[in-house]
Amino acid sequence: MQVLEIKGKKELKGTIRISGAKNSAVALIPATILSDEETTIYNVPNITDIDALSEILTFLGAKVTREKEIIKIDSSKIENKAISEEHSTKLRASYYFLGALLSKYKKAEMYFPGGCSIGARPINLHLKGFEALGATIKSEKNCYKIEAKELKGARIYLDFASVGATINIMLAATKAKGKTIIDNAAKEPEIVNVATLLNNMGAKIKGAGTSTITIEGVEHLHGGFHEVIPDRIEAGTYIIAGALCGKNLKIENIIPKHVEALTSKLKDMHVPLEIGNDYILVSKQENYIPTKLKTLIYPGFPTDLQQPIMVLMTQAEGTSIIEETIYENRFMHIPYLNKMGSNIEVNNQKAVIHGPTKLKGTKVKATDLRAGAAMVLAGLIAEGTTYIENVDHILRGYENIVQKLTNVGAKIELKEI
Ligand code: EPZ
């Protein structure tokens, strides 16, 4: 079994360069099948989620070539086949193929296991949007068959500003007849990234990044090109690492606006930050101030950084509180942090973090991607050695995490045990 071994208490100095955003790339790649020509995407992170999507594209008959962080996808010869359970269960974002195949062929069939450890994660809002556009949906035992004689523009209100539903409905509406309006749309930067690629390919999308997105359907989409925006969650994770054990640690190739909710919280905690136009310099200092936060949709504090920032709160001089409002089960890292010596109580969707506490290295598990990131951060400051199991969770979302941390002084290794 592979484990991440981390020898704690090393000072992190130097520069970490942020990669392309996983949560953007996993939508941009399925979006390319809407064109019958070659589309190129730059700055794609080299993570296992991208490998899984490339496999699905190849299964459908697309020609996929990857050189480093550039992926070229030629969908001129793809066939609309049912996407098998084995393919679609590799990552949740495979559901973007539902919207893309429905848009292109008015038919899509794939298994969608839904749920994952952090919550039920239903796709009812995605399906509500597809039905509003004229599709009929048959689902049995996680297999979804979606068909439409014709896709017609509609006005769709999202009960929750879901990122996935917003993007999937945008994909499905791109070639629908007439105008679609998505109300209460999610405003995450990744949505803007996808809308920009689609517009580069000839789509007519306005308002991405606001809560009302308008899509004028078009007949044809040509090839295009686009660049994945920097990963704001990867950036936030390493900024927190700098606050924990950095000395002028530079996190570069970021969009500071995208991590504003985090940097504002870190300032409340008295973390010394220097914010440049595309980088942040961060150092550890003594006696952090405790704080309170609630995870919210963008531009509020991102749920994906809830688990990482909780590690910093274990070092604050007093009691901090986190309320998780997006997912129902995103506190699975807490028992492992407490096993390392933190003092965190859970009360429904609220975590109460008493600090400061000294963390001690031990054997822990990554229960999900960002819980795994929290384990890495805890290992970096713990006394002794930390062993993290289920490392696949971490490797699917953090490109070259071992190399990036080693380059700035961490003692971290991927080991077979
Ligand atoms: C995206 O997931 C991200 N994943 C998540 O990042 C991120 O946490 C989330 O957005 C919120 O920012 C990708 O982009 C691949 P949602 P998504 O639809 O689209 C409920 C990470 O660590 N919901 O905004 O699935 C759902 O149950 C991952 O990188 C419905 O009820 O998020 C959840 O409670 C984790 N019905 C909430 O909305 C629906 O049809 C947020 O879901 C859809 C969602």
Side-chain angles (χ1 to χ4, degrees):
M1 159 179 63
Q2 270 195 325
V3 294
L4 266 178
E5 178 192 88
I6 303 176
K7 290 187 169 53
K9 293 209 160 310
K10 307 292 177 229
E11 190 172 70
L12 303 188
K13 284 190 280 201
T15 300
I16 294 180
R17 185 168 178 74
I18 297 305
S19 306
K22 164 181 86 78
N23 291 347
S24 192
V26 296
L28 290 168
I29 288 172
T32 61
I33 71 170
L34 288 176
S35 149
D36 293 330
E37 297 162 22
E38 184 174 84
T39 300
T40 304
I41 301 176
Y42 301 96
N43 197 32
V44 178
N46 181 17
I47 50 178
T48 51
D49 271 5
I50 303 303
D51 304 338
L53 289 173
S54 304
E55 275 170 38
I56 295 176
L57 281 172
T58 309
F59 165 76
L60 292 171
K63 190 165 159 294
V64 183
T65 45
R66 276 175 78 179
E67 301 132 39
K68 294 208 185 96
E69 79 292 345
I70 300 173
I71 190 165
K72 291 183 191 307
I73 298 160
D74 176 349
S75 306
S76 53
K77 296 193 177 49
I78 72 169
E79 291 164 60
N80 186 9
K81 296 188 275 190
I83 297 177
S84 68
E85 185 154 18
E86 187 249 332
H87 277 115
S88 63
T89 47
K90 284 191 176 164
L91 78 158
R92 180 174 161 72
S94 55
Y95 55 30
Y96 290 130
F97 280 103
L98 276 176
L101 289 168
L102 176 66
S103 190
K104 182 162 184 163
Y105 298 107
K106 302 201 181 25
K107 185 168 181 287
E109 182 179 337
M110 72 182 285
Y111 276 85
F112 186 70
C116 77
S117 53
I118 61 176
R121 300 185 79 179
I123 57 168
N124 58 308
L125 297 174
H126 303 231
L127 302 176
K128 169 184 172 182
F130 297 155
E131 283 174 328
L133 293 167
T136 51
I137 293 158
K138 289 197 190 74
S139 70
E140 52 187 87
K141 293 203 221 49
N142 288 334
C143 178
Y144 289 88
K145 290 183 183 148
I146 306 175
E147 262 187 281
K149 281 196 186 51
E150 183 186 56
L151 289 171
K152 260 166 76 48
R155 185 156 202 143
I156 299 158
Y157 175 80
L158 292 180
D159 317 293
F160 174 83
S162 153
V163 172
T166 301
I167 293 177
N168 233 345
I169 293 166
M170 207 162 63
L171 292 172
T174 294
K175 297 181 80 176
K177 280 196 174 35
K179 181 193 274 194
T180 296
I181 297 175
I182 306 174
D183 282 322
N184 194 29
K187 301 187 279 191
E188 273 70 354
E190 292 75 32
I191 290 158
V192 179
N193 209 194
V194 175
T196 311
L197 168 68
L198 290 169
N199 285 339
N200 279 351
M201 294 162 69
K204 289 200 179 97
I205 299 170
K206 287 197 176 65
T210 73
S211 48
T212 303
I213 300 178
T214 306
I215 303 117
E216 285 289 348
V218 294
E219 290 276 305
H220 174 72
L221 286 159
H222 47 73
F225 55 88
H226 197 30
E227 175 158 339
V228 184
I229 53 172
D231 192 318
R232 60 195 169 94
I233 307 301
E234 183 198 19
T237 306
Y238 290 125
I239 292 168
I240 294 166
L244 284 164
C245 54
K247 185 163 175 32
N248 279 329
L249 183 68
K250 185 174 188 182
I251 315 297
E252 69 172 17
N253 186 37
I254 68 165
I255 300 173
K257 178 121 188 75
H258 291 174
V259 289
E260 208 167 15
L262 171 70
T263 50
S264 134
K265 267 298 154 204
L266 293 178
K267 281 184 192 150
D268 293 352
M269 295 180 74
H270 287 193
V271 173
L273 294 173
E274 178 195 315
I275 300 178
N277 53 9
D278 65 350
Y279 71 88
I280 282 184
L281 265 180
V282 53
S283 297
K284 174 193 172 186
Q285 61 97 349
E286 298 309 323
N287 46 54
Y288 287 131
I289 310 286
T291 185
K292 291 185 174 50
L293 72 84
K294 204 186 252 195
T295 61
L296 295 166
I297 58 172
Y298 193 86
F301 192 92
T303 172
D304 295 350
L305 287 174
Q306 175 259 108
Q307 295 140 302
I309 200 169
M310 195 180 284
V311 179
L312 183 64
M313 289 174 168
T314 68
Q315 305 307 305
E317 310 266 331
T319 299
S320 300
I321 296 178
I322 289 185
E323 187 178 351
E324 172 57 61
T325 72
I326 306 290
Y327 291 106
E328 58 272 36
N329 187 28
R330 204 166 194 174
F331 284 154
M332 288 175 294
H333 54 303
I334 292 175
Y336 293 106
L337 288 178
N338 285 342
K339 184 182 174 187
M340 294 178 77
S342 67
N343 177 3
I344 305 170
E345 297 155 308
V346 176
N347 173 4
N348 292 326
Q349 289 301 101
K350 271 194 186 161
V352 181
I353 304 107
H354 303 288
T357 49
K358 287 202 176 330
L359 303 185
K360 224 169 131 19
T362 181
K363 227 190 241 180
V364 294
K365 279 194 171 67
T367 52
D368 56 85
L369 169 57
R370 307 302 174 183
M375 294 301 111
V376 171
L377 294 175
L380 290 174
I381 59 168
E383 188 67 46
T385 305
T386 303
Y387 299 92
I388 307 173
E389 295 175 12
N390 301 352
V391 291
D392 286 353
H393 280 302
I394 304 170
L395 302 180
R396 50 173 285 254
Y398 287 91
E399 181 185 61
N400 296 339
I401 183 166
V402 173
Q403 198 52 56
K404 288 187 179 188
L405 284 171
T406 304
N407 289 348
V408 292
K411 284 273 169 286
I412 175 171
E413 247 183 282
L414 202 49
K415 285 193 159 173
E416 277 299 329
I417 59 164

